[in-house]
Amino acid sequence: MIIRIVIGLIFTFGAFAVGGRRLFWLFKLIRSGKKDSTRKSAFFKRLTTELVEVIGQKKLLKKKVAGMAHAVTFWGFLILGFTIIEAWGDLFDRSFAIPIIGHWAVLGFFEDLFMVAILVALLIFSAIRLKQNPKRIERKSRFYGSHTEAAWLVLLMISGVLISLWFYRAAQVNTNHFPYGWGAFASHLLADALHPLGTGVNSVIETVALLANVGIICGFLVLVVYSKHLHIFLAPINIAFSRRPRALAQLGSTPDLDPENMDEDTVFGAGVITQFSWKQLLDLATCTECGRCQEQCPAWNTDKPLSPKLLIMSLRDSLFKSANQILGTTDNSEANDLPSLVPDVIEKDILWSCTTCGACVEQCPVDIEHIDTILDMRRYQVLMESDFPTEAGTMLRNIENRGDPWGLGASQRTQWTEGLDFEIPIIDGQIPDDIEYLFWVGCAGALDERARKTTQSIARLLHQANISFAILGQSESCTGDSARRIGNEYLFQMQAMANIETLNGVNAKKIIASCPHCFNTLANEYPALGGNYEVIHHSQLLAVLIEQKKINAGTFKAKVTYHDPCYLGRHNRVFDEPRSVLDAVDGVEQIEMHRHREKGFCCGAGGARMWLEENIGERINMNRTAEAIATGAEVVSTACPFCMIMIDDAVKAYQKADDVKVLDVAQILETSSEASDLKV
Ligand code: SF4
Ligand code: SF4
C-alpha cells in the first residue's frame, strides 16, 4: 500500500508542479495582450454556447466520422472522470468507492462502455491520420503543416490510460476489490482471462496497472500543457469568451478615431504581438491545428500562401518565442524590440490574400476569430505604415474623392433608371410617409453595367408588387466596406459618418440593399457609429413578396445552380430566401454545388480583393466557376453584384458564355414573369 501512496503522490505533485507552472506562465502571457472589455456581456448566451459547442460538440460533429470519434472521446472522458477519482482513492484504500454512487451498476456499465468506445474512437483517429498523412497528400491535407508527431504520442498516451485502466479494473475483480458487478461487462470479461493467474499475480497486476494509469494521466497532463493539446483546457474558455453570436458579419472592433482621445502612443491595429487583445492571444494558444479552416480557405485552395491555420500557428510561435521578452516588459516602449508581425512573422502576400469570406471562422471548432486578427494587422499596415498593395491605392483614392471605388462620380448614379418606364422618387429632404422603403442601390448596382441590369430587375419587380420605394440618387455614396476590409478604418468611418448623416437626415427607417456588402455594412456596422436601420436584402424581400402573392413567379426552364455570396450567406445566414425565390419559379431545376450554404466557396471579391491583382496561384473565381459549370447548370445564379462580376468574368474566360448565363435571382424571377419582356 505504501508503494502505491508514495509513487502515486510523486506522480501527482510532479505533474501539478510542472503543469501548474506552465499554466501560470500562459496566463501571464495571455494577459499581456490589450484589454478587451466586450467579452463579459451576454452571460446566458455564452453559457448556451458552452453547452452546445463544448458539451454538445456541435461544430466538431460537422465532420461525421472524425466528429463522432471526437465527441465519443470527449463525452467518454466526462464519464471516465469517475474512474480517475476511483484511481486516486485506490492509492490510499484498495476498497475505495465513490460515496453514494460508487457501487451503482449503471455507473460501472457506462465507465466500461466508454472505455471500450474511446479505444474504438482512437482506432478511427489513427486511420484518419494514416489516410491523411501530410507527407503523402501534401498541401491538400487539412493536417498539412500541423504537428502530427505529437498527435501520435497523445493517441498512444490515451490508449495507455485506457488499457492500464482496463487491466487494473479486471485485476480488481479477481482480488475482490472491484466496486461494480456484472454491469462493468468489459472489466469482467478481461478478469475471466486473468483469473487463472491467481490472486497473488492479480494483486501485482492491480498495483502496477493502477500506478501506470495514474502515471500516464499525470504525464498526459504535462504533455497537454506543453503541446497543441492545450486546447483540452483552453477550448472551453476560448468558446466562453468568443464573440456572440459569432465572429462574422461586423468586425470585432470599431476604433475610436476622435483626435481628442488619441496621443502619440496611440496605435491602430496590431504591429507587434502585444498589440493584439488578450482574447486574440488566447485564440493563438487554443488552436488545435485540426486544419478545418485550412481545408475550406479559398486562398489556400488556390495555392496562395495564406492558410488560416498556419497564420494562427505562426503568430502563436512568435508569441511563445517572444514570451520572455514580453513577460519582462512593463513599459510599452519595449514593444518596439518585438518582431514586427508583417513581414517578420507573416509575409505580406499572406496578409493581403484573405477575402474575409469567413469560412475559417465558420469551421473552427474552438471559435478562433481569424478575420479580426487579419484585419488588425491590415489596419496597422495601412494606417501606421502606409504599406498596402498599390492597386488598393486607386480604389481608396476613388472612394475618398469620387464616392465610389471606380471613380465614376455621383453624376452617373441615377443612369440605371433611364431605361425604366416608371419614375423612381429621388429623396431630397425627408422620406415622405407614403414611401415605405429606401432602396440603397450601391456603387456596383448603380455603376457597373452588368449589376445595373439586376438593379433594374429589382426596381421593376418592386414596382410590379406595388411597393413604394425611393432612392438617394447622387446623395448615396460608397458604404466604405472595401476601405474597411483593406484596413483603412479612417476612410471607412469617414464614409460611414457621411452616409449616416444623409440617412438620418432623410429619416430612413427601412432600407433595401441589393449588394450583400452594403447590406452587411448598413445593417451590422453602421449601428456602432450611430446608424440604426431595418435593412433587408432584395432576395429576402422578394421571397416575402412571392409568399404574399404580390409577385407572381412564372416559368423559366433551366438548370440553375445558386452561388452563396459570403456576406449574404455565411456572414448573415441568408441561405434559404434566394433559394426559395428560385423554387417559386416553374421550370427551374436547382442543382447544388458541392460547396454550398455554410461551406460555400468565395468568388474571390471579398475583403477588398475585388480591387487587387491576383497574381499568385489559380484565380479564385476560376476555381469557383469551374465547380458551377461542372454541375451541368445552364445558369449560375447569385444575389451579389461582386459575385456576378467575378463569375461572369470566369465564364467568359472559360469561353462558356454561350452555354452558361450568370444571373441574379431577381433577374430569373423577373424573366419568369409573364409581364416581363426581358429574355435571357
Ligand atoms: S476569411 Fe476566408 S480567405 Fe480569409 S483566411 Fe479565412 S477562409 Fe481564408
Ligand atoms: S484555427 Fe481553428 S479550425 Fe483552424 S486549425 Fe486551429 S482550431 Fe482548427
Side-chain angles (χ1 to χ4, degrees), residues 439-456:
F439 182 13
W440 184 273
V441 181
C443 300
L447 303 169
D448 177 80
E449 209 47 55
R450 282 164 289 192
R452 274 181 179 176
K453 291 181 185 154
T454 305
T455 312
Q456 289 170 336

Side-chain angles (χ1 to χ4, degrees), residues 410-422:
S411 61
Q412 296 193 31
R413 279 199 177 261
T414 50
Q415 277 181 7
W416 66 273
T417 60
E418 284 166 14
L420 301 176
D421 56 8
F422 56 91

Side-chain angles (χ1 to χ4, degrees), residues 293 296-299 306-308 353-361 370-371 374:
C293 54
Q296 302 286 322
C297 175
L306 166 65
S307 146
S353 289
C354 179
T355 69
T356 68
C357 72
C360 48
V361 178
H370 314 72
I371 295 179
I374 290 171

Side-chain angles (χ1 to χ4, degrees), residues 154-166:
V154 165
L155 288 181
L156 207 66
M157 288 185 97
I158 298 176
S159 308
V161 170
L162 296 168
I163 291 167
S164 60
L165 176 69
W166 200 348

Side-chain angles (χ1 to χ4, degrees), residues 538-553:
H538 71 269
S539 63
Q540 294 174 298
L541 183 57
L542 293 179
V544 171
L545 295 176
I546 291 169
E547 186 149 343
Q548 292 174 344
K549 306 222 179 309
K550 290 186 177 166
I551 292 179
N552 294 318

Side-chain angles (χ1 to χ4, degrees), residues 562 564 575-583 590 592 597:
Y562 175 72
D564 285 286
F575 294 117
D576 294 331
E577 293 90 334
R579 288 177 170 84
S580 75
V581 171
L582 294 175
D583 272 342
Q590 281 201 64
E592 290 288 8
R597 295 180 72 97

